[in-house]
DNA sequence: TTGTATGCGTTATCAA
DNA sequence: TTGATAACGCATACAA
């Protein structure tokens, strides 16, 4: 290990017998500096462990090399476990590009104020919008503020005036529902996420269209909507199975409530995949994956529509950095199709 | 809504007909400024929406009002879901005190370099150490660097030369194990976390002491140790139940693998709490809680030793801020006792 | 009680 | 190709 004490530009330039200007230019890749001196400068900078002060650089340039993530971990607790995997993916990309994450916890009502402050303070070069609602006011605000941002998900039908990356939730749930109907199920329930969230709205649309195509009339009793936690899946299932005509299959918005669904069925002496079929949306949450290295993967438990939220985090981060580098460029957007994986929780309905 | 454009100290002082110095002092609560002018200054600052530039303030003071959280979300995926709840608690405290979170993802090997850089760059005023190992080298480094920090957990037996906040893991697991033994169980398995982690080591100690006190010889076949994910609980349980003499009770390090335990038992046609007893450590993860407001809480499913990781986040954050304000003060530490809650997964062993 | 002058460590403008 | 010099916006030692 070489010199450890922090050194500044002035000291470095004196050590080199050059001006601060030249050293700065050499380090920042300006074209007008002679390649020979640039090499000298870079070598000395490494040797003497020179690191430019972020606050000084930020003050001089107005750029912070920070990305803001403003989340309400408390209210919509569903964001919570999903958030960790998303940020794990995004953080990887930030790290490779010399950016850091500024994490701010704020309720949805507080978030507009937070964005304003973040801009006024020049604290971040861009932000990621999490958990967009249908008709989300944050998007208009961010456009007005001129702060680069990418939405994880979408806020409306078109999504034309902002960058976004989303999974095709409508098609995924259409497909899941159709799969169950094709197996012969007639009563398929939907244990959805909170339908103020745009993604949940789209999922419901996919479900409804599939029913309609099969000529099945929607039964409101088979619809549930709430924050996607385990106990929600449990209670929704208990209610569903108490109906005069209970469902024979359930489509669930996340593996978290899906575990609650399974637990409720077990309590009733029913087995998932035999007595009742389940298809869940699987975000590939890390703590539910088999992490054993070099091990052949399990046959998945849940039949699922699947899309890695961690990969989504990576992609959103890339899109945001591109947008920050080129704010005048075209608005990018990306729609991913979910995989469909057959697990152990689907089968034709039991004959009565 | 009043003036929106960002304003700086110079403009504000000119608008007031005062010097920048006086305005700065008034705003920062210096005693020598007249209360009348202070009131004037504060009023004008609010009206004109003055906000001091963080990078300028940071450059001038050397303080960043940022707290660093360096985590390896990828390797020890167990940290992952727990981290979200911890940070939700900590973030609340930071927000109330005008601090922000700097989140950095780095493998354990990279973390020492990250801490060095963070100090050199003056990017953070303090850090929280997550997931301490037994004999964790990060602690010595941070002490050497002189960066204020608090450890969530402990790294060794004494924990004398650093601030920490921990749950009494040894006692919690002693108690859980003893409870099962008192019910009459003779073969109690331990599905532990990764034993390089200090908390898992302590838990195992508690388990072993309880066995010893009951005069039961430790059976290595009943011990498992790995990252605390759901499939781990599943596979460990399948292995346990394949033994010639399977356990009649299992102590599990987290509700995550505990769900895998339950799933494995269900696959074998066994019921938790009837055929096999389970006690889990419950961190009160938000996505497993009944979040319904105004609803009477469920009878908990798992019998558990319980301690809110979110509350731990709050407390650790408070301790860190205190340490930052008073770096020369005494080293604080705090040991919490876990609650013991009876759920539906424990009963005396089945008669054979 | 208030004000002046200087420093914090960069980047950027203008000359040379 | 390189170098003075002026911002950037605040805090603070020193004066008054």
């Amino acid at each position: 290990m070489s010199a450890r004490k922090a050194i500044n530009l002035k000291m470095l330039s004196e050590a080199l017998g050059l001006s601060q200007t030249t050293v700065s230019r050499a380090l920042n890749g300006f074209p007008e500096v002679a390649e020979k001196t640039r090499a000298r400068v870079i070598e000395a900078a490494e040797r003497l462990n020179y690191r430019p002060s972020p606050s000084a650089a930020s003050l001089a340039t107005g750029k912070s090399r920070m990305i803001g993530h403003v989340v309400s971990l408390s209210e919509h607790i569903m964001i919570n476990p999903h958030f960790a995997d998303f940020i794990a993916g995004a953080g990887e990309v930030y790290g490779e590009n010399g950016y850091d994450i500024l994490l701010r916890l704020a309720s949805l009502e507080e978030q507009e104020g937070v964005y304003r402050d973040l801009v006024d303070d020049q604290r971040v070069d861009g932000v990621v919008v999490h958990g967009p609602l249908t008709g989300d006011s944050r998007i208009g605000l961010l456009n007005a503020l001129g702060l680069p941002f990418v939405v994880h998900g979408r806020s409306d039908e078109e999504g034309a005036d902002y960058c976004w990356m989303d999974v095709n939730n409508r098609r995924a749930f259409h497909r899941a529902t159709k799969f169950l109907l094709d197996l012969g199920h007639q009563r398929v329930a939907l244990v959805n996420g909170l339908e103020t969230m745009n993604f949940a709205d789209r999922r419901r649309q996919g479900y409804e269209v599939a029913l309609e195509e099969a000529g099945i009339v929607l039964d409101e009793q088979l619809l549930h909507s709430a924050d996607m936690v385990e106990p929600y899946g449990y209670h929704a299932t208990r209610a569903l199975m108490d109906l005069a005509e209970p469902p024979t299959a359930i489509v669930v918005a996340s593996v978290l409530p899906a575990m609650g669904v399974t637990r409720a069925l077990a309590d009733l002496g029913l087995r998932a995949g035999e007595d009742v079929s389940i298809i869940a949306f699987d975000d590939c949450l890390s703590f539910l994956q088999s992490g054993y290295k070099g091990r052949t993967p399990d046959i998945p438990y849940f039949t699922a529509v699947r899309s890695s939220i961690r990969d989504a985090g990576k992609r959103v981060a890339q899109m945001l950095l591109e947008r920050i580098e080129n704010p005048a460029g075209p608005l990018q957007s990306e729609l991913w199709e979910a995989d469909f994986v057959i697990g152990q929780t689907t089968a034709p309905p039991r004959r009565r």
Side-chain angles (χ1 to χ4, degrees), chain A:
Chain A
M1 145 163 62
S2 50
R4 276 309 322 167
K5 193 76 201 86
I7 221 179
N8 64 22
L9 184 60
K10 189 178 176 194
M11 299 158 112
L12 177 60
S13 61
E14 280 167 359
L16 280 161
L18 288 170
S19 75
Q20 298 187 28
T21 313
T22 304
V23 175
S24 173
R25 280 196 281 232
L27 259 19
N28 292 329
F30 280 57
E32 63 258 34
V33 53
E35 279 313 316
K36 212 180 72 179
T37 52
R38 190 196 300 283
R40 259 183 72 213
V41 170
I42 290 176
E43 184 278 327
E46 299 223 326
R47 183 166 40 80
L48 300 176
N49 188 242
Y50 167 72
R51 334 191 76 243
S53 150
S55 45
S58 172
L59 184 58
T61 61
K63 301 295 175 192
S64 64
R65 295 200 79 83
M66 287 248 166
I67 304 297
H69 284 258
V70 183
V71 290
S72 67
L73 251 24
S74 30
E75 319 179 316
H76 292 300
I77 41 197
M78 66 114 313
I79 297 182
N80 205 316
H82 298 82
F83 174 73
D85 274 300
F86 183 92
I87 207 78
E92 195 179 314
V93 173
Y94 297 147
E96 291 163 358
N97 292 277
Y99 281 83
D100 264 314
I101 298 167
L102 175 84
L103 182 57
R104 186 91 139 235
L105 306 180
S107 69
L108 262 181
E109 302 83 63
E110 295 168 328
Q111 290 195 10
E112 300 205 0
V114 170
Y115 286 134
R116 292 200 141 89
D117 293 349
L118 252 24
V119 169
D120 286 351
D121 295 352
Q122 298 188 116
R123 272 213 116 150
V124 297
D125 296 340
V127 294
V128 169
V129 174
H130 293 276
L133 313 178
T134 299
D136 198 308
S137 60
R138 290 174 292 180
I139 291 170
L141 174 68
L142 287 168
N143 272 329
L145 292 173
L147 182 65
F149 68 100
V150 175
V151 178
H152 178 216
R154 274 171 291 176
S155 138
D156 47 41
E157 201 46 46
E158 294 306 327
D161 66 338
Y162 55 91
C163 287
W164 53 267
M165 186 261 122
D166 200 2
V167 171
N168 196 336
N169 283 297
R170 193 185 285 132
R171 183 171 297 168
F173 275 61
H174 178 276
R175 200 167 162 194
T177 308
K178 183 172 182 335
F179 181 84
L180 292 166
L181 296 172
D182 288 349
L183 279 176
H185 292 275
Q186 296 282 321
R187 287 183 67 70
V188 178
L190 175 64
V191 173
N192 203 3
L194 262 187
E195 290 177 359
T196 50
M197 309 286 268
N198 184 259
F199 79 93
D201 195 27
R202 291 174 190 277
R203 288 172 175 192
R204 178 168 169 153
Q205 291 171 25
Y207 166 84
E208 288 184 358
V209 169
L211 289 187
E212 201 175 307
E213 287 170 354
I216 292 181
V217 178
L218 186 82
D219 182 350
E220 293 278 348
Q221 291 185 306
L222 297 181
L223 299 179
H224 286 256
S225 165
D227 234 340
M228 307 190 294
V229 296
E230 199 268 358
Y232 159 54
Y234 180 85
H235 291 292
T237 303
R238 293 302 298 247
L240 286 169
M241 300 313 288
D242 270 350
L243 293 176
E245 281 187 88
T248 61
I250 309 178
V251 181
V252 192
S254 160
V255 284
L256 264 22
M259 302 188 92
V261 171
T262 308
R263 181 160 64 90
L265 293 178
D267 268 14
L268 295 166
L270 300 172
R271 291 185 51 105
E274 295 177 15
D275 304 299
V276 178
S277 287
I278 304 173
I279 299 183
F281 192 96
D282 179 358
D283 297 281
C284 305
L285 296 180
S286 57
F287 58 90
L288 299 176
Q289 310 274 66
S290 299
Y292 308 114
K293 312 236 161 103
R295 206 172 152 292
T296 50
D298 293 336
I299 298 161
Y301 176 66
F302 288 113
T303 297
V305 274
R306 175 184 288 175
S307 183
S308 163
I309 195 168
R310 181 167 181 154
D311 289 345
K314 279 196 200 176
R315 188 65 192 117
V316 166
Q318 287 164 348
M319 291 172 74
L320 180 54
L321 296 189
E322 284 167 22
R323 181 121 201 96
I324 287 170
E325 304 231 324
N326 182 15
L331 292 163
Q332 310 265 6
S333 64
E334 212 163 293
L335 186 62
W336 288 6
E337 294 301 330
D339 293 332
F340 191 88
V341 293
I342 307 287
Q344 309 168 35
T345 56
T346 40
R350 274 265 155 85
R351 314 257 19 109
R352 318 200 165 206

